[in-house]
Amino acid sequence: MHDGTWAPGTTGPNRALRLLTAGIAGASEDARGSDWHGRHLVHLAVAHQPAGDTSTARSVLDEARAIADATASLPLAGQVTEAVRRLSVTA
């Protein structure tokens, strides 16, 4: 239940970055090559946009693209392509 209080970093892009990073870091070795893990990487890359961290976004999208290629996942490849377009970075 939300208590109505707010503190910096508890909502918005900082919180998204923290939660996505923690979830991705906690993934098992087997999960790291999965399609759904690649989707989380795409979300992480997009979450770096408000901070202007295109270098990290590019690196994360490279990893997601490698998963899409390895799994032959067309949906994931499409998500990576769309994220690249939105972020104007190359992956």
Side-chain angles (χ1 to χ4, degrees):
M1 184 167 112
H2 181 60
D3 65 5
T5 61
W6 178 86
T10 59
T11 61
N14 289 336
R15 183 168 191 254
L17 282 171
R18 274 197 329 276
L19 293 174
L20 285 164
T21 300
I24 288 166
S28 70
E29 194 62 37
D30 289 337
R32 290 177 190 256
S34 69
D35 176 77
W36 63 264
H37 185 75
R39 289 185 216 162
H40 290 148
L41 291 171
V42 172
H43 291 298
L44 178 61
V46 171
H48 280 282
Q49 181 181 21
D53 192 355
T54 58
S55 176
T56 301
R58 186 177 303 113
S59 175
V60 172
L61 287 173
D62 286 343
E63 188 177 347
R65 170 120 27 231
I67 292 170
D69 292 345
T71 61
S73 174
L74 294 178
L76 178 56
Q79 286 181 323
V80 172
T81 299
E82 178 61 19
V84 168
R85 186 192 65 74
R86 285 180 56 198
L87 299 174
S88 299
V89 298
T90 40

